[in-house]
Amino acid sequence: MKISHIEHLGIAVNSIEEALPYYENVLGLKCYNIETVEDQKVRTAFLKVGDTKIELLEATGPESTIAKFIENRGQGVHHVAFAVEDGVDQALAEAESKGIRLIDKAPRKGAESLNIAFFHPKSTQGVLTELCEAKIGS
Ligand code: ZN
């Protein structure tokens, strides 16, 4: 697979409203989009940092994987997302052939309607890893 850059870092927070003042007022970053991804039971807020982004993730209910993550490990870095230039489905097939356990067997739509897929942290040295379709013109 061909990875161009870190697309974003996903950070689990109790509340986007409580977390944003740190990122905006202290770090001086700007939140440019907040959206809810219903099927993942998360609310996301995006902030640009040069060519990469911070994605704040807030659970929309107790069944959310973000709620479970915070319950087990507290707030903090949740996943690293890499932008792949040659297609998420192709990258998934390659990773699986190299023994990586996949959470998503096929790409699905994430925030900003980009194709995404996750590798299981058990086969990535403990880091939940997301592949993200490179956004044209971003
Ligand atoms: Zn993400």
Side-chain angles (χ1 to χ4, degrees), residues 2-3 6-7 15 23 26-27 29 33 37 41 45 50 64 70 74-75 77 80 86 93 110 113 115 117 127-128 136:
K2 200 161 171 230
I3 286 173
I6 291 179
E7 217 279 336
S15 155
Y23 289 95
V26 179
L27 299 185
L29 304 173
N33 189 33
V37 184
K41 298 188 173 69
S64 168
I70 290 176
Q75 297 191 100
V77 175
V80 176
D86 48 355
S113 292
N115 274 332
V127 178
L128 178 59
I136 309 298

Side-chain angles (χ1 to χ4, degrees), residues 8 55 79 81 130:
H8 62 269
E55 175 187 34
H79 64 270
E130 177 180 353

Side-chain angles (χ1 to χ4, degrees), residues 39-61:
D39 65 336
Q40 288 179 62
K41 298 188 173 69
V42 293
R43 213 168 137 243
T44 64
F46 279 93
L47 303 102
K48 251 200 178 324
V49 191
D51 285 339
T52 188
K53 300 164 192 160
I54 299 286
E55 175 187 34
L56 301 178
L57 300 147
E58 176 193 292
T60 59

Side-chain angles (χ1 to χ4, degrees), residues 71-128:
E71 202 179 298
N72 292 333
R73 298 168 71 166
Q75 297 191 100
V77 175
H78 176 260
H79 64 270
V80 176
F82 295 102
V84 290
E85 288 182 335
D86 48 355
V88 173
D89 35 10
Q90 195 181 317
L92 280 179
E94 182 187 334
E96 192 169 35
S97 77
K98 291 177 175 172
I100 298 296
R101 188 168 147 199
L102 308 179
I103 291 177
D104 300 297
K105 295 273 183 194
R108 56 184 157 103
K109 295 286 175 205
E112 302 188 305
S113 292
L114 295 173
N115 274 332
I116 62 160
F118 285 92
F119 295 162
H120 198 284
K122 283 222 164 81
S123 56
T124 59
Q125 327 305 317
V127 178
L128 178 59

